[in-house]
Structures are given as structure tokens and as C-alpha cells.
Amino acid sequence: MGRASAERARAAPGGFLLALPLLLFFASAVLWPVLDLLRSSLGREGGEALRAVLREDRYRLALLHSVLLSAAASAGSLLLAAIPAWVLARDDFPGKRVARALILLPLTFSGVMVGFLTLVMLGRVGAVPTVARFLTGAPIGSGAAYTLVGLFLAYLYFEVPRATVALESAFRRLPRDVDRAARTLGAGRWTRLRRLTIPMLAPAIRSTLAITFSASMGSFGVALILARRFSVAPLEVYTELTGFQNDAAAGVLCLLLAAITLVVDRLLARGRA
């Protein structure tokens, strides 16, 4: 027992030295900027900016749009990813690797590229309105890329692959013996889904919702391309910094975004516990 303790004591300094570069990077690239942002936002100028952000409609609407879009995108991506994640985790079929690669391909795209692809599909002369005009004589969906619906679909574009990765891993860990035993005892498909599968997957479902919600809240490139008739919080941050040189308002908006995201993540984490 004493020998093991001595070995752990000798290994501890070496482990700390190996982790030191990462700790220094975290302190300089994450911790210090966040603390500086808190310092500047909690001062007199930051207090005035906070009151302005909470008072003006455009800031409040931008935050509301971000929250609603992120919540809708996280829920929608969870529903859309469930079946492909189950198939990839539980079934073997020819071309499985190719199918997984195609599903995950949007994760390699930047937000700007996703916005451009949405324009190709749902812009004023996009593929969808062009085909609709040919079939019906009316350009159905023309300009939809610039609406909340278009931005929602663009969010789904890169959130569905993210949700698929998370759910596939969870589906792989599901014990098949439990489901097989329930089926042997006469439990139907929906009973097994309601009484066994969903409860066992509940922590993974909450984690997937947290991941996709957080990613959507911080999405900027897609909104930069598509948000013409409305705004979202990351776009307001960009506008305040580049258009008005208003660092205080931009900092307050960043803190509000971070606070909302953290609260949602903690609520979902409490459900996972």
C-alpha cells in the first residue's frame, strides 16, 4: 500500500508538468479574457450598457431570437438524428462507412458555407423555388432563406450531424440483453421504447440537447449570411464591435449569451444527475 502511494506521489509532478502547457493556454486564451470581460462589463460603463441592452427592443429581440432558434434547432436535430443514429449504431449494411461520412460531412463546413448553401436552396432564385415554379408556376419558397424558417433550417444543417454523433455513441452502449429479455416476457415495441429505451437514453438525450443548444447560441457565420430581416445576439455583438465600436454593449451581450447557455446546460445536467 505504501509503495503504491509513493509511486503516485512521484507520478504527480510529472503529470502536472505534462498538463502545464494546456493549463497555460487555458489561462491565457480563456480565463483571462473572460475575467477582463467581466471586469469591463461590471463597471460604470458596463452597467449603462446592461441597462441599454435590457431596455432596447432590438437587443431583447435578438436574444429572444437566439434562444428560440437554438431551442428549436436542438429539439429538431434530436428528432431528425434519432433514426440514422440508431441505424448506424445497431445495424450493419453495405456502404455504412460512406453513409456515416455523408451524414457527418456538414460538420466540416464553416457557418458561412452553410449559409451560402442555404441560399443556393432557398434563395430568391434558389433550387427549391426554381423547381416549384417549373411544377406549379409559383416560386414557392423564394427568399425563405432570409426568414427565421430559413435560418432554422440552416441551423439544422450542422446540428443534425452533431446530434447523430452523440446519439450513435449512446445507442451503442445500450444493453441488448435487457431489450431481448423484455421482448421475451411479452413487452411490445412501444412498451419497450417507453419503459426501457427512453429512460436509459435520458442522460444522452439531455447531453445532446445541451450540446446542440450551446452550438446554436454561438452560431455567427450562418446568421451573418442569412439574417437580413431580423437579428440574433451573435450578429448584434458583431455589429456593436465593428459598426459602432461599442465594446461595452458587445461585452454585455456576450455575457448574457454565456449566462443563458450556462443556465440551460446546468438545468439539463441536473436532469442527467
Side-chain angles (χ1 to χ4, degrees):
M1 192 72 171
R3 181 178 179 181
S5 300
E7 290 178 354
R8 285 198 298 270
R10 287 195 299 269
F16 175 77
L17 291 176
L18 290 174
L20 185 59
L22 178 61
L23 294 175
L24 291 175
F25 173 80
F26 177 81
S28 59
V30 179
L31 187 60
W32 183 84
V34 170
L35 291 177
D36 185 70
L37 182 62
L38 285 171
R39 179 190 59 79
S40 61
S41 299
L42 295 177
R44 183 175 63 84
E45 187 178 358
E48 295 175 356
L50 176 60
R51 287 190 291 272
V53 167
L54 296 178
R55 184 173 59 250
E56 294 190 22
D57 288 341
R58 70 185 183 95
Y59 295 127
R60 290 184 298 180
L61 283 175
L63 286 168
L64 180 62
H65 289 159
S66 289
V67 172
L68 293 179
L69 276 169
S70 299
S74 60
S77 62
L78 180 71
L79 294 175
L80 291 174
I83 293 178
W86 178 270
V87 172
L88 290 174
R90 313 287 281 196
D91 295 340
D92 289 320
F93 55 89
K96 180 177 178 179
R97 291 185 178 180
V98 176
R100 180 186 288 110
L102 290 175
I103 291 173
L104 302 184
L105 181 62
L107 288 178
T108 65
F109 296 162
S110 67
V112 173
M113 185 173 180
V114 171
F116 177 77
L117 292 175
T118 305
L119 287 178
V120 171
M121 295 301 296
L122 293 171
R124 293 187 178 90
V125 290
V128 171
T130 300
V131 172
R133 185 192 297 273
F134 175 77
L135 295 176
T136 67
I140 300 172
S142 178
Y146 301 111
T147 66
L148 282 171
V149 173
L151 189 57
F152 167 71
L153 293 176
Y155 276 30
L156 287 182
Y157 196 94
F158 58 84
E159 294 300 355
V160 168
R162 189 173 281 109
T164 302
V165 171
L167 290 177
E168 182 186 356
S169 177
F171 287 148
R172 287 184 184 279
R173 295 194 300 269
L174 279 178
R176 301 194 181 193
D177 292 342
V178 175
D179 183 78
R180 192 177 300 116
R183 187 168 61 248
T184 302
L185 293 173
R189 176 178 300 177
W190 293 109
T191 301
R192 299 198 309 273
L193 179 66
R194 187 179 70 256
R195 302 287 296 275
L196 290 176
T197 305
I198 291 180
M200 286 190 293
L201 286 175
I205 290 173
R206 296 188 184 98
S207 296
T208 302
L209 289 173
I211 292 170
T212 51
F213 181 85
S214 300
S216 296
M217 283 291 285
S219 178
F220 167 71
V222 175
L224 182 64
I225 299 297
L226 301 179
R228 304 283 180 84
R229 304 171 186 172
F230 56 90
S231 184
V232 291
L235 196 57
E236 287 295 330
V237 173
Y238 173 78
T239 302
E240 292 298 329
L241 283 175
T242 61
F244 303 110
Q245 302 295 314
N246 191 351
D247 294 356
V252 167
L253 283 169
C254 284
L255 288 177
L256 289 174
L257 273 173
I260 293 170
T261 304
L262 182 61
V263 167
V264 172
D265 181 74
R266 290 300 85 198
L267 289 174
L268 291 171
R270 182 178 298 177
R272 293 196 297 268

